Amino acid sequence: MKKWIFVVLALMIGGFCTVSNADEGKKSEDTGVTLEEVVVTATRTEEYIARIPANVTVIDENDIKNSNAKDVPDLLRSQQGVVVRDLLGNGKKTEVDLRGFGETGPYNTLVLVDGRRVNEIDLSGVDWRQIPLEQIERIEIVRGTGSVLYGDNAVGGVINIITKIPPRKFSFSAGATAGSYNHHKEHLFFGGGNQNVAGSLSASYDSTLGYRENNEYRAKDIAGKLVYYPAEYLSLNLSGAYHVDEYGLPGSITEAEVIRDRKSTLNPYDDAETKDGYTTAGLDLDLGRYGEILADYSYRARRNKSDFPDPLYPYKTEGDTDTSAFTPRYTWQGKILRHMNNLVAGLDFYWSEQDLNTYSGFLSPKAVLTGVANIERNSQGAYLNDEVSIFENVILSFGLRRERVRYELNRRDLSAFPLAPLHETVIERQNAYSGGLTYLYGGKSSIFFRANRSFRFPLTDEVVIFDYPAGKIRVNKDLKPQKGKHYELGVRHSFTPHLQGNVTLFRAQIKNEIFFNPATFTNENHPETLHRGVELGTKAELGNYLTLLGNYTYEKATFKKEPFKANTIPAVPRHKANVGIRVHDLMPGIVFSTYYNYVGSSFLISDQANRLEKNHDYFTIDARVSYKGKRVNGFFGIDNLTNTKYSQYAVAGGGGTTRNFYPAPERNWVAGVEISF
């Protein structure tokens, strides 16, 4: 299988080089520093991709419309350096991993929506289904650490989801989607305004029975945005959204059960529900030659319940988390000693409070209240980043950050044999730095190098230990913040206006990387790990009708010291490849696209000892045909055309003796229609 993938990629690269040679005469059009694409994530201000010392990808509206994606993780899985593991097959419980962190990938990848953090303070991760695709304008992926500009969680990279700006003219659209497993979705959007004010409102309902038993999912979403321009130098914005869902939790099944019936579940009654809403207010004040001031204040309230009604050992949880954030920043572009500078400096304040109730029972069908917790996690960060044009085409960038986090941990055990309560405060501080050099040449082409220091603070669940031998709940004082040193070297080359390619080499040495140890049921630091690899990507537009895309990622993530010295970090595939073909405008409005996705084998989650057989490699092929008219759009797609039977998520169980799987869907279809005015 691997050889076949390498052959396909070689043929693609060979074909691209042929196109490059054929267009050699056009290269004179690309001389000089002329840039086009814009990205905002990497520097917290608008910046051209070619100037950024990082491997950056933008998924735009056309990419979204020409995919079979039902959610954001579906879009991400075809990108270089991104591994997606979907536990439930519907996007609700999905892990996204940048740069090979395996099980802890979701906690080492920062996810933003319009610059607003959506990572949780505990182990629950990111709720990807609270961001419907029809609300998204583009997605920016910045690989490599973003700790200086964003702080905690941004170790492997940053994913920023940009939602649509309200249109100035009246706009209306309504659509419906149907698919396998009784899936249907309806959505509605309208917006409009004038030169001074514009607003939009969207709503959707999504429902499916899911691929497996007890795999249903139902969700409702509503979102609105208002932008006001009281003066040329000032803009104000207000946005908000509310999401509610309920879903089944089929859980994992053993290898023997997968063979017998991969759609089965051992947990037919386990379920959960979520209520999640936020509001954000922001301003953008343009001071002319004195710079620009931007500030955002956001508030998010998240309520979730999980119920595991085992007749002998019932268990359920109820969690309420409130998070406020204030993120003012100042940007300035101007010359110092005849050298152009692009400066950004700011403060990040986050205040989170979580109330958590746990209910359990023993040899009883009814669960009773057995634990009450109140947890606060507040952080303050200050940062500065500057880009200096040493020459017109040579850019030096450097940055610093200082961040402090404070945990207030309170928990009472109300069980029949209660543990001593927890009342403790923990304070941690960390620094980050970055330095990069970018050389621009030939239009949109560039070479870059950068070195960075990253950090990750422990999550609230990782800090607390239930110490049964000692009869108390306590803080894990042995757990330290994670620190890393990162280096990367990359080339973005534009052979012609219609042919681009990129290569990035990366290396990250992590100290005190945080892992869950299944032998002790605690989160611990591993002394040292090493993550390194190469990311390749290419895109070619052949004539007016054909677009080819391809990427390949090699990642090697290993433990460098005992107790797992030289072992591979679980859930990190060594090889990953994607090939896409898009045929457009052979007939007016018709686009056909197909994508081949390959993910290599990897050790099971929690198998740090590398004792068990790996989760097998797999590939899928997806295809879609779409029509775009003046008022009506439609599409039909098939995922997993070859009906591959595989699991994206596999974990070691039974004390490291069994292999447990979350089976992924087999061949399935999706179709939709939308009208717009």
Side-chain angles (χ1 to χ4, degrees):
M1 182 63 66
K2 294 175 187 174
K3 292 181 180 178
W4 189 83
I5 289 175
F6 298 150
V7 169
V8 170
L9 288 174
L11 288 173
M12 290 183 63
I13 293 171
F16 294 170
C17 292
T18 301
V19 175
S20 175
N21 293 334
D23 289 345
E24 191 71 30
K26 300 179 182 178
K27 286 188 177 181
S28 61
E29 299 172 5
D30 290 328
T31 58
V33 183
T34 57
L35 310 174
E36 294 178 4
E37 291 185 282
V38 174
V39 64
V40 299
T41 302
T43 58
R44 294 186 82 154
T45 183
E46 291 188 355
E47 183 63 282
Y48 295 110
I49 288 179
R51 298 174 66 93
I52 299 171
N55 184 2
V56 180
T57 300
V58 176
I59 304 172
D60 60 24
E61 260 191 288
N62 284 332
D63 296 324
I64 296 173
K65 290 179 179 178
N66 290 316
S67 76
N68 285 348
K70 304 176 184 68
D71 48 51
V72 175
D74 273 351
L75 287 169
L76 298 175
R77 69 175 72 252
S78 63
Q79 301 298 313
Q80 57 184 284
V82 183
V83 174
V84 175
R85 294 179 291 271
D86 190 346
L87 279 72
L88 303 181
N90 57 28
K92 177 63 181 180
K93 293 290 184 180
T94 302
E95 296 182 351
V96 174
D97 181 9
L98 279 174
R99 293 275 169 96
F101 284 85
E103 180 181 8
T104 63
Y107 320 125
N108 286 286
T109 301
L110 179 63
V111 182
L112 309 167
V113 176
D114 295 329
R116 175 180 61 88
R117 274 178 172 266
V118 294
N119 294 68
E120 296 293 332
I121 64 172
D122 58 17
L123 288 168
S124 58
V126 174
D127 185 355
W128 294 96
R129 289 307 298 261
Q130 66 168 305
I131 316 157
L133 285 182
E134 58 271 11
Q135 297 179 13
I136 297 173
E137 177 182 302
R138 70 183 188 275
I139 301 173
E140 303 164 350
I141 306 169
V142 182
R143 300 163 185 84
T145 182
S147 293
V148 164
L149 288 167
Y150 291 102
D152 198 16
N153 300 118
V155 180
V158 180
I159 298 172
N160 192 14
I161 300 167
I162 310 296
T163 60
K164 294 177 180 177
I165 298 174
R168 296 293 182 92
K169 295 181 179 180
F170 176 77
S171 177
F172 169 84
S173 64
T177 303
S180 298
Y181 320 123
N182 282 17
H183 174 232
H184 66 91
K185 181 176 182 178
E186 298 78 38
H187 67 270
L188 182 71
F189 170 89
F190 65 89
N194 53 39
Q195 293 300 314
N196 295 323
V197 63
S200 64
L201 184 68
S202 63
S204 65
Y205 176 76
D206 195 355
S207 177
T208 180
L209 292 181
Y211 168 67
R212 298 175 58 196
E213 297 175 11
N214 191 32
N215 201 187
E216 69 278 359
Y217 174 83
R218 289 179 294 275
K220 300 175 184 178
D221 288 274
I222 186 168
K225 184 178 287 190
L226 184 66
V227 181
Y228 176 48
Y229 306 92
E232 290 185 1
Y233 55 85
L234 177 64
S235 68
L236 306 173
N237 64 81
L238 179 66
S239 62
Y242 182 70
H243 169 90
V244 58
D245 64 42
E246 52 186 35
Y247 54 99
L249 296 169
S252 65
I253 54 178
T254 65
E255 190 170 12
E257 290 160 343
V258 170
I259 295 172
R260 184 168 57 250
D261 182 4
R262 59 185 289 109
K263 296 183 179 182
S264 66
T265 178
L266 301 178
N267 309 288
Y269 305 111
D270 293 358
D271 59 22
E273 62 181 69
T274 308
K275 296 179 180 179
D276 197 339
Y278 80 89
T279 183
T280 299
L283 67 84
D284 184 342
L285 177 61
D286 188 350
L287 303 176
R289 63 191 181 95
Y290 297 106
E292 189 174 10
I293 295 175
L294 304 97
D296 295 287
Y297 174 80
S298 65
Y299 170 74
R300 180 185 180 190
R302 180 175 173 84
R303 313 288 181 252
N304 57 276
K305 297 180 181 179
S306 300
D307 191 6
F308 308 90
D310 187 284
L312 297 179
Y313 306 100
Y315 180 78
K316 67 178 181 178
T317 63
E318 297 176 347
D320 294 347
T321 306
D322 297 315
T323 301
S324 298
F326 179 53
T327 56
R329 59 194 183 278
Y330 170 77
T331 68
W332 177 77
Q333 291 184 347
K335 289 186 177 181
I336 299 178
L337 300 177
R338 299 183 180 180
H339 295 284
M340 182 61 67
N341 284 252
N342 187 1
L343 173 71
V344 57
L347 302 171
D348 290 332
F349 300 97
Y350 292 93
W351 303 273
S352 295
E353 182 175 4
Q354 183 180 72
D355 291 315
L356 180 64
N357 295 335
T358 56
Y359 302 78
S360 60
F362 179 70
L363 298 179
S364 169
K366 184 177 181 180
V368 298
L369 184 64
T370 53
V372 177
N374 176 265
I375 298 169
E376 294 184 24
R377 186 185 187 277
N378 303 323
S379 66
Q380 306 85 38
Y383 62 90
L384 179 146
N385 193 81
D386 192 21
E387 295 179 355
V388 183
S389 295
I390 302 175
F391 304 104
E392 182 182 0
N393 60 344
V394 179
I395 302 162
L396 173 67
S397 61
F398 56 90
L400 298 168
R401 185 183 186 93
R402 175 72 168 173
E403 188 159 328
R404 174 185 182 270
V405 63
R406 176 188 177 97
Y407 306 81
E408 290 285 350
L409 306 164
N410 298 280
R411 194 184 191 283
R412 291 184 296 128
D413 187 2
L414 306 177
S415 63
F417 303 97
L419 300 174
L422 171 69
H423 300 289
E424 289 202 45
T425 299
V426 177
I427 298 175
E428 299 283 2
R429 298 177 178 87
Q430 284 295 315
N431 301 319
Y433 64 77
S434 66
L437 193 65
T438 304
Y439 170 66
L440 304 170
Y441 68 94
K444 293 190 293 182
S445 300
S446 61
I447 300 173
F448 66 85
F449 171 79
R450 70 168 177 163
N452 304 270
R453 185 184 189 275
S454 71
F455 62 83
R456 177 170 90 83
F457 293 115
L459 300 168
T460 55
D461 291 340
E462 295 172 328
V463 174
V464 177
I465 291 179
F466 290 80
D467 191 345
Y468 291 99
K472 63 180 181 180
I473 310 168
R474 62 179 178 86
V475 167
N476 188 356
K477 295 187 180 296
D478 296 327
L479 192 66
K480 304 179 182 68
Q482 174 181 302
K483 298 180 288 185
K485 293 182 179 179
H486 305 250
Y487 307 93
E488 55 190 297
L489 173 67
V491 179
R492 288 176 290 249
H493 186 69
S494 180
F495 297 95
T496 76
H498 307 291
L499 174 64
Q500 299 89 36
N502 66 79
V503 180
T504 305
L505 304 174
F506 66 89
R507 175 187 174 91
Q509 183 177 338
I510 309 295
K511 289 190 175 181
N512 298 322
E513 186 164 346
I514 302 172
F515 287 95
F516 174 73
N517 187 339
T520 61
F521 293 98
T522 59
N523 293 280
E524 301 173 356
N525 296 114
H526 191 279
E528 186 177 329
T529 62
L530 184 62
H531 304 252
R532 67 270 202 205
V534 59
E535 297 160 344
L536 306 172
T538 186
K539 179 180 180 180
E541 297 174 354
L542 307 182
N544 297 321
Y545 306 108
L546 182 63
T547 300
L548 302 179
L549 309 99
N551 64 71
Y552 167 74
T553 305
Y554 171 84
E555 289 182 326
K556 188 176 182 180
T558 55
F559 298 100
K560 299 303 292 180
K561 294 185 178 180
E562 299 295 347
F564 304 114
K565 185 177 180 179
N567 285 4
T568 298
I569 293 176
V572 180
R574 192 68 57 91
H575 306 280
K576 181 178 180 290
N578 305 90
V579 178
I581 301 173
R582 190 180 301 164
V583 182
H584 40 86
D585 294 332
L586 284 177
M587 297 177 62
I590 300 293
V591 177
F592 172 79
S593 55
T594 183
Y595 299 91
Y596 171 91
N597 306 298
Y598 172 80
V599 178
S601 62
S602 61
F603 286 100
L604 276 63
I605 287 173
S606 295
D607 185 21
Q608 286 94 332
N610 293 176
R611 293 195 183 105
L612 298 178
E613 180 184 352
K614 290 183 177 181
N615 186 27
H616 295 161
D617 62 347
Y618 62 88
F619 75 91
T620 61
I621 298 176
D622 307 326
R624 173 185 173 117
V625 59
S626 61
Y627 168 76
K628 183 176 182 180
K630 186 175 181 180
R631 298 287 183 227
V632 179
N633 303 328
F635 73 92
F636 175 79
I638 299 177
D639 288 336
N640 194 3
L641 267 169
T642 57
N643 207 32
T644 301
K645 295 177 173 59
Y646 67 102
S647 295
Q648 298 173 25
Y649 194 93
V651 60
T657 60
T658 62
R659 302 167 72 227
N660 300 318
F661 299 90
Y662 290 77
E666 298 169 70
R667 183 188 299 117
N668 61 94
W669 64 274
V670 61
V673 63
E674 181 184 67
I675 59 172
S676 59
F677 298 95

